[in-house]
Amino acid sequence: MTVRRIAALWSYIETAVAAAALLAMAAFPVLEMVLRGVFDTGIAGSMGFVQHLTLWVAFAGALIATRQRRHLTITSGASPLFPRVGAVGRLFAAGATTAVTASLCWASLQFVRSEAQFPSAGVGLWVPVWVMELILPVAFAAMTVRFVLQAEGRALMVASIAGIAVAAAVGFAIGGSVPAITGPLIALLALVLLFGAPIFVFIGGAALLLFLADLVPAAAVPVEIYRIVVSPSIPAIPLFTLTGYLLAEGGAGERLVRLFRALLGWLPGGLPIAATLVCAFFTTFTGASGVTILALGGLLLPVLVQNGYSGRFGLGLLTSTGSIGLLFPPSLAVILYAVVAQVPIPDLFMAGLVPGAIMVGVICLWGIWIGRREATPRVPFEMRAAVSAVNEAKWEIALPVIVLVGIFGGYTTLVEAAAVTVVYALVVGLVVHRDLRLADNVLGGLVKCLSLLGGVFVILGVAMGLTNYLVDAQIPSRAADWAAAWIDSRILFLLALNVFLLVVGCLMDIFSAIAVVVPLILPMAEVFAIHPLHLGMIFLVNLELGYLTPPVGMNLFLSAYRFEKPLMEVWRSTLPFLVLLVGVVLLVTYLPQIIIGVPG
């Protein structure tokens, strides 16, 4: 069997395993609900299976993200920095990437070995936990090999192989001398981010080096990866994400556009309002990951331009609304923030309703103003057309209602509600509308979803490892003491927090930022008596704004990629929206009374 055939077989196996695990995650909770309702019984250990299947989905997805070169980098969509030294920088980036992934493989292997020596209760009463954990070293090993094989040219391949040797040298040969070179090595990891190294390489490498410098076993990092990924609420994230992809793969976008256009097209700016609401709907399921821009951009931008709106306005609107639904249920970012900050998920969802509505409302008002100024054509309201559009989109309209009633009515857990949405989206797409095809849309949606989840979860996991080190080193409490000593005003602290979080939002994706930054700011917020729900809203709206903030806001890059526009043109097009959203951020920060659940 040739190398190419082996690689193709391996790719098929990893995709099949990941897809089967993701679909099983949806099937178990739904089957559990049916059995509970009909026979007043359940499936022993089903929730444990679902949580551990999340681990398999995450890291089989990470393999797919590696195969598709989809790991998140801070230079995504941007021109290479420093062209004259770009070649050398790419060599260092290639070496650092394999060094870190090989080190994570070794650390994960140590973690699994320790778990096998002292086994705990099995998953579902019969599968040993360490068997489920084997995906960690296997995935990191396969990622390392794939990074080597993907190297373009002999020099990059040599650098990739050398990175594995460097990892071995740091882990074994240098030993106790690590503290002396920890700082320079972390600085080097930060530098290679500029030359295309994935973000997880910097975060994971920094965590490993810091633990090694303190003579703590490197297995501390995979321990935290395992702990966060198998948390009880985390399975909702891949399930809601899959629902969003299934909706995008079908005709849900077109039906929702027709619906909102029929209902609101008579208004000045009716079409931008419709586009904003459609984007908000999709972002609630897919998160602020840019999926909305990639999935709906090709549909919405031509419609806006054909109806008299300038290309610049359409580009700015769709770039800005790519994360506009971040605060609404069942937002993935809200779920993850609640898990990390240990606040009730329903309370945080309630807290986000008014700020989220204000954000959407501000963008809609801007669309109305532009519509009046440009005197764009309107669509007269027709009851027959409106009723027809509502009838066509009734299944999509019902979806968020099912989620809200299920969760807030106490009928389902968060994970069960997420599983129901997957089954619902499949039934509607395959049976009702028949705009999903198993071999095309469903499989394509699964692969795209898994690639995104793999890229997100590998960052999230290593970020929790770094967070664990920071907590052990008492960095959050020291930061709180510093803030109390140097900042004597609650208003000044909130302003400094806004600036800090805006910078974080520019440089980090929201999921890794939640894992790394939230534990740092929680103690400081307590010093200034900031309500936990208020802090959550401040954090989330700032990170949402960071996706649009030059020079490296992620939605800017994704929009430039999707619409094939120069990055500078995208920056200019989003500026009015950025100014409007800054106003909303300040409103949320300094008027906590608008947040449900926060005392006035």
Side-chain angles (χ1 to χ4, degrees), residues 467 500-501 504 508 512-522 539 543:
T467 299
F500 170 69
L501 291 177
V504 169
M508 299 177 71
S512 55
I514 289 172
V516 174
V517 177
V518 170
L520 294 178
I521 64 174
L522 283 173
F539 183 93
L543 267 290

Side-chain angles (χ1 to χ4, degrees), residues 52 55-56 59 105 108-113 115-116 128-141 226:
H52 284 81
L55 188 70
W56 279 68
F59 284 89
C105 172
S108 300
L109 188 59
Q110 298 307 306
F111 167 56
V112 174
R113 286 180 60 187
E115 290 281 289
V129 172
W130 68 267
V131 172
M132 302 299 288
E133 294 167 346
L134 272 174
I135 188 63
L136 290 172
V138 170
F140 282 121
Y226 172 77

Side-chain angles (χ1 to χ4, degrees), residues 40-51:
D40 197 26
T41 186
I43 304 172
S46 66
M47 194 59 211
F49 270 122
V50 172
Q51 291 171 228

Side-chain angles (χ1 to χ4, degrees), residues 407-481:
I407 296 173
F408 292 104
Y411 300 104
T412 66
T413 66
L414 181 69
V415 174
E416 287 173 345
V420 167
T421 64
V422 173
V423 176
Y424 182 93
L426 281 172
V427 171
V428 170
L430 291 171
V431 179
V432 178
H433 290 300
R434 298 183 181 179
D435 50 13
L436 283 180
R437 293 177 177 82
L438 281 174
D440 185 10
N441 306 107
V442 175
L443 181 59
L446 278 168
V447 172
K448 292 175 185 176
C449 178
L450 288 163
S451 178
L452 170 68
L453 292 171
V456 167
F457 272 108
V458 73
I459 293 176
L460 175 60
V462 296
M464 289 305 299
L466 179 59
T467 299
N468 185 40
Y469 172 83
L470 297 176
V471 171
D472 289 346
Q474 299 183 332
I475 301 299
S477 59
R478 292 180 186 177
D481 293 340

Side-chain angles (χ1 to χ4, degrees), residues 256-277:
L256 289 171
V257 169
R258 285 196 295 269
L259 170 67
F260 291 124
R261 191 175 185 186
L263 295 177
L264 304 169
W266 59 274
L267 288 169
L271 190 56
I273 295 174
T276 300
L277 295 176

Side-chain angles (χ1 to χ4, degrees), residues 19 48 57 156-157 195 210 217-218 221 288 297 320 322 330 338-339 342 391 430 479 490 518 536 550 576:
V57 165
L156 284 176
M157 181 168 287
F195 299 98
L210 290 167
V221 176
S320 304
V339 170
Q342 297 183 352
N391 185 56
L430 291 171
R490 188 171 186 268
V518 170

